[in-house]
Amino acid sequence: MRKKVIAGNWKMNKLLGEAVEFVEETKNKVASQDKVESVVCAPFPYLPTLVEKTKGTELAVAAQNMHFEENGAFTGEVSPSMLADIGVTYVVLGHSERREMFAETDETVNKKAHAAFANHLIPIICVGETLDQREANETMTIVEAQVKAALAGLSEEQVKASIIAYEPIWAIGTGKTATSEQANEVCTHIRKVVADAVSAAAGDAVRIQYGGSVKPANVDELLSQSDIDGALVGGASLEADSFLQLVEAGA
Ligand code: PEP
């Protein structure tokens, strides 16, 4: 039985006071990590404070990105060891907004996945097709290529520990959710890709989230699907109440 993971991706939102208020409001209300993993993916400047405030609670803290190098002349970047050093436990990699606007590629996502494991961070690896690709019936091939590239060279144990977020780009921040059948069809395919590329056990163990306009009103239906093991949520994760409802659905 795969444990569900509900991750709230705040993107570039909230000021420090709002971020602290959110975790103070949620950290003692989220269900136990034995039942569901609850994660907030916060902007870099807030990570040390949020890690400190959530210590000993069931709420985990993630970064939304990182570099793949450990240190060096990379002005403005944050390294995996810096995240690990301050107690961050998850990192989102290859979000479509980074692929579209910040030149993230399958190759850099793969380097970052290796760097994440080298620093004991759990990667949440985002994949997904554009509307044009879906309409051209390319969804499965696009997503398959992204998954294989992202996981290339990882050990079976690392793949088992990875989280893949299937996020159709046309459903992110648009209010258009993939139907639960559409979402599950792709998640089932991703699981098969992992099973064929790595092992049946890895395919069985890897957790696959759906992301794209998930909200309290549609989360139950999405999470009831056979191959959806959680959600990566943008807009509906910004309010504490709504985040808590999403977590409750995963518990
Ligand atoms: C996301 O940021 O990954 C996302 C899915 O956003 P939203 O839930 O707002 O569509």
Side-chain angles (χ1 to χ4, degrees):
M1 190 61 181
R2 294 178 295 268
K3 203 195 309 165
K4 294 205 167 32
V5 192
I6 304 295
N9 175 20
W10 290 349
K11 311 192 189 196
M12 196 173 72
N13 290 299
K14 294 192 186 292
L15 296 178
L16 179 60
E18 297 164 324
V20 169
E21 198 180 314
F22 180 106
V23 298
E24 293 296 357
E25 173 101 30
T26 55
K27 67 182 185 184
N28 295 318
K29 293 190 187 152
V30 292
S32 131
Q33 292 269 350
D34 297 342
K35 288 191 179 163
V36 57
E37 285 167 42
S38 318
V39 186
V40 283
C41 313
F44 286 133
Y46 310 152
L47 294 174
T49 306
L50 299 191
V51 167
E52 205 51 46
K53 300 248 173 233
T54 54
K55 251 187 201 141
T57 75
E58 308 289 338
L59 185 60
V61 177
Q64 299 174 8
N65 178 42
M66 65 179 194
H67 200 279
F68 48 81
E69 294 288 355
E70 293 300 339
N71 49 53
F74 301 100
T75 302
E77 290 293 324
V78 171
S79 80
S81 49
M82 291 172 188
L83 296 179
D85 190 40
I86 61 166
V88 166
T89 41
Y90 301 73
V91 60
V92 178
L93 301 179
H95 191 281
S96 61
E97 288 153 14
R98 297 214 58 85
R99 291 180 190 254
E100 269 178 63
M101 293 184 272
F102 302 98
E104 191 80 79
T105 64
D106 284 342
E107 195 191 347
T108 56
V109 172
N110 177 245
K111 286 183 179 172
K112 290 178 181 191
H114 282 270
F117 280 114
N119 286 280
H120 310 287
L121 298 166
I122 299 173
I124 301 177
I125 299 168
C126 303
V127 299
E129 81 287 3
T130 63
L131 187 56
D132 284 352
Q133 289 164 340
R134 174 159 282 268
E135 285 173 355
N137 274 329
E138 291 169 358
T139 298
M140 298 304 187
T141 42
I142 293 289
V143 167
E144 177 165 346
Q146 289 173 332
V147 168
K148 282 185 179 160
L151 302 181
L154 294 180
S155 70
E156 183 186 24
E157 287 314 304
Q158 289 171 337
V159 172
K160 285 181 179 174
S162 297
I163 298 168
I164 298 173
Y166 167 56
E167 299 206 305
I169 294 168
W170 48 271
I172 298 179
T174 58
K176 282 185 203 157
T177 321
T179 64
S180 49
E181 290 76 21
Q182 280 174 323
N184 196 49
E185 189 188 18
V186 182
C187 293
T188 302
H189 183 65
I190 291 172
R191 198 173 299 291
K192 184 175 178 319
V193 168
V194 174
D196 292 348
V198 184
S199 69
D204 204 37
V206 69
R207 275 144 350 132
I208 306 175
Q209 296 174 309
Y210 167 77
S213 299
V214 176
K215 45 188 185 281
N218 60 21
V219 69
D220 287 331
E221 168 73 15
L222 287 159
L223 296 186
S224 70
Q225 300 298 307
S226 59
D227 285 300
I228 300 181
D229 306 316
L232 180 58
V233 187
S237 74
L238 288 168
E239 297 298 329
D241 277 1
S242 160
F243 179 72
L244 286 170
Q245 286 178 55
L246 298 168
V247 169
E248 205 42 54

